[in-house]
Amino acid sequence: MTGGYDDLLAYLRRWDGRRRRAELLAALPRGLAVGLALGLAVALLSRARPWLTRGETMQVTALLLLVATATAALLVLLRRRTPAEQARFADRQFGLRERMVAAVEIHAGTLDADAAVAARQLQDALNAAAGVNAERQLPLSSRWRDWLPGAAALALLAVALWLPNPQEAILRQQRAVAAEVAQQAANLEALAEEIAADETLTPEQQAALQQPLDAALAALAEPDISRESAVAALSAAETELRRLDQQFDGANLSQALAQAGLGGDGASGLAQALQAGDAARGGAAAAELAGELGGMDAATRTDLAAELAAAAEALAATDEALAESLAAAADALNEGDTATASAALNEAAAALNERAAVAQQAATAADRLDSARQAVAQAGESGTTAGMAQGEASGDQSGGAGDATTGGAGGEDDGGGSAAGEGATGGEGTANGGPSPGGGHVESVYVPPSAELGEEGQAMELEVQCLGDPSTCGPVGGQSPSPLPSAAGAGGQVPYDQVLGDYRAAAFESLAAGDIPLRLQGIIRDYFAALEP
């Protein structure tokens, strides 16, 4: 009895295995259709927005196909059926008239039958099972209609991959920008660590230099930051570091000494350095002056003491340590103590050298930010795109130079209009596309003729209508324009060295605000660099 039932179970397991293979043949087309449909959805989504490249879409589709078909196969192969379920399928598929189900239920005790009846029923079930032709009654075949959905999805996917995807260029550019932003962020972190490890800087100086870097790093750390936003953040940090460079290099000293400078022959080198805002040269001049005190006569030392006292008073609110050193030197000279005066001037030299070192650190950091800004601005640009942008920039700049020339020549200023017009249309070719001095990579930057500047500055006419009627110009780049110095002389003329800083500051404020197109930002920076005396 038990042996006969085991034979029945062997038939049921063999038929269930064939059933699984038939179901697997039917499930594979469905799995392929699902995988291809998902791949098609990925391809269409990548055409609607920058997401995946063509090669990546194919890789994702292959992975989806593998997952979908494997899932369909596993659902078939891992399903377990009880003997009663196998028996019901066999009776239904092979027309066995409930023989298999009755035999299983009798053996399980769910159907009552005496031993003789049970034995005859089991033997009848085994005889019927032996007569089953499973290969004919349960064929392993696949219907062609089952493959139609997958074939349609494959055709649509092939078309979607074959047609050019306009989003792919945008995606590559975005990835290039993201990679460049990450690289420059790492460089800024290294720069911040260098500043923090510089023992020659005070904590206050380190904090001042690191603050722009921290702001730029915070902006670059924002997810999915655009190239424009990254360039604006780097430009703002660079502008702040340039300002710190000028501040530490002595620009504030120059302003403080504008009305009370060191004008005597004895301190002319120190005076010129401080008035020019050159801390390094001022430190060297102060040290040189300290060594010359012993050879000065009494009258020269008296004049020098007065000049140093005046300078100390002028610098008291700007640089207290430097002012104290100059005042100590002046007092010592008045008392005839050249040794103490020399020591005080050496202290002043040390203070100026410290300012110069900080200014140099700020300038170096600003230069590295400038390189980072240019790298981010050029990230993802193809040669053709870069060439078109350069051509457009050259065209725009040539047009701007032409406007400036027209404006200069057409001005009705009796004080110097013709001179400005000649400067704008001179034969050096700077307004018509020729290389301009100091212009770097820019080949179409208008640069006014160079001027020999004395201590008072040379009066030159500015070719802008804003001087005559500021209301016609409006704010620059959304910012309120910085007040200009009062014109020196008649006819809208101002000292060249006094007005340049105001215009440069206003332009850099606009760059930091991100209102200037990327292809013009480098031109503007080179323009003002070329205008430097």
Side-chain angles (χ1 to χ4, degrees):
M1 181 70 178
T2 303
Y5 185 72
D6 290 339
D7 293 338
L8 182 67
L9 291 181
Y11 278 116
L12 293 178
R13 284 194 295 269
R14 188 182 312 122
W15 295 336
D16 185 65
R18 189 171 184 84
R19 177 187 179 185
R20 289 181 187 279
R21 292 192 291 274
E23 290 177 343
L24 183 60
L25 286 177
L28 286 179
R30 291 194 293 269
L32 291 173
V34 171
L36 290 170
L38 293 175
L40 177 61
V42 171
L44 294 178
L45 186 58
S46 297
R47 299 182 68 85
R49 57 180 296 272
W51 186 25
L52 297 175
T53 64
R54 181 181 306 178
E56 292 169 345
T57 301
M58 295 176 65
Q59 293 176 0
V60 170
T61 301
L63 179 62
L64 290 173
L65 277 173
L66 179 62
V67 171
T69 53
T71 301
L74 289 175
L75 289 176
V76 172
L77 297 176
L78 296 181
R79 183 177 179 181
R80 292 292 177 260
R81 298 183 179 93
T82 63
E85 293 173 334
Q86 296 174 3
R88 281 193 290 270
F89 169 77
D91 286 339
R92 184 174 63 252
Q93 182 69 28
F94 303 128
L96 298 178
R97 299 183 179 183
E98 308 300 327
R99 289 184 176 91
M100 301 295 113
V101 172
V104 170
E105 289 182 350
I106 290 174
H107 185 269
T110 57
L111 183 64
D112 293 334
D114 56 30
V117 173
R120 288 195 299 270
Q121 195 280 330
L122 178 58
Q123 187 60 46
D124 181 61
L126 289 173
N127 293 336
V132 171
N133 187 346
E135 288 77 8
R136 180 178 60 83
Q137 293 177 277
L138 185 57
L140 300 179
S141 62
S142 179
R143 297 178 300 177
W144 64 270
R145 290 189 298 271
D146 295 341
W147 297 92
L148 287 181
L154 178 61
L156 293 175
L157 178 61
V159 172
L161 293 175
W162 176 71
L163 292 176
N165 185 2
Q167 302 293 338
E168 193 163 329
I170 301 175
L171 174 63
R172 294 184 186 278
Q173 186 180 80
Q174 289 178 348
R175 290 181 176 178
V177 170
E180 190 62 45
V181 166
Q183 177 62 42
Q184 297 306 328
N187 293 342
L188 291 188
E189 290 178 354
L191 177 58
E193 292 177 357
E194 291 177 10
I195 293 176
D198 191 344
E199 297 179 353
T200 63
L201 303 177
T202 66
E204 293 76 12
Q205 293 168 347
Q206 290 176 343
L209 292 174
Q210 286 179 325
Q211 182 176 1
L213 299 178
D214 292 340
L217 285 171
L220 296 182
E222 294 181 0
D224 299 328
I225 183 173
S226 66
R227 176 166 56 181
E228 290 75 13
S229 298
V231 169
L234 292 171
S235 181
E238 179 190 354
T239 301
E240 177 62 18
L241 287 170
R242 299 282 184 202
R243 185 190 66 79
L244 291 174
D245 174 22
Q246 293 181 0
Q247 174 183 338
F248 284 111
D249 200 28
N252 52 356
L253 303 182
S254 176
Q255 295 174 0
L257 292 174
Q259 301 298 328
L262 305 180
D265 294 336
S268 59
L270 179 58
Q272 291 177 2
L274 293 179
Q275 289 176 349
D278 191 340
R281 188 156 61 95
E288 181 180 357
L289 188 61
E292 296 175 353
L293 291 181
M296 291 183 182
D297 55 31
T300 303
R301 287 198 296 267
T302 300
D303 293 339
L304 178 58
E307 292 168 353
L308 293 176
E313 182 179 357
L315 297 177
T318 304
D319 191 325
E320 184 178 355
L322 179 60
E324 290 179 356
S325 297
L326 294 178
D331 293 340
L333 286 175
N334 287 329
E335 296 175 0
D337 188 353
T338 56
T340 302
S342 178
L345 284 175
N346 284 327
E347 291 179 1
L352 289 170
N353 290 332
E354 180 182 349
R355 294 176 66 99
V358 178
Q360 180 61 37
Q361 184 70 271
T364 301
D367 290 340
R368 292 173 66 171
L369 279 168
D370 177 61
S371 300
R373 174 184 56 79
Q374 294 183 21
V376 172
Q378 296 172 3
E381 292 289 346
S382 63
T384 303
T385 304
M388 293 176 59
Q390 183 177 1
E392 292 174 1
S394 299
D396 294 343
Q397 196 65 18
S398 298
D403 294 341
T405 303
T406 304
E412 297 297 333
D413 191 343
D414 296 337
S418 59
E422 293 173 1
T425 58
E428 297 181 5
T430 57
N432 296 319
S436 56
H441 65 278
V442 181
E443 297 184 353
S444 182
V445 175
Y446 168 69
V447 181
S450 59
E452 296 294 335
L453 302 180
E455 292 186 5
E456 299 298 329
Q458 177 175 337
M460 298 184 67
E461 181 181 359
L462 297 178
E463 300 177 83
V464 290
Q465 298 177 358
C466 303
L467 290 176
D469 186 6
S471 62
T472 62
C473 298
V476 179
Q479 303 292 331
S480 299
S482 303
L484 298 178
S486 58
Q493 295 184 0
V494 296
Y496 178 80
D497 57 344
Q498 291 184 16
V499 75
L500 175 62
D502 296 290
Y503 278 108
R504 180 180 56 227
F508 283 3
E509 287 176 4
S510 297
L511 292 178
D515 299 320
I516 307 299
L518 291 177
R519 60 187 178 84
L520 296 180
Q521 291 189 7
I523 296 175
I524 294 173
R525 293 181 183 278
D526 290 339
Y527 178 83
F528 281 99
L531 291 177
E532 292 289 348

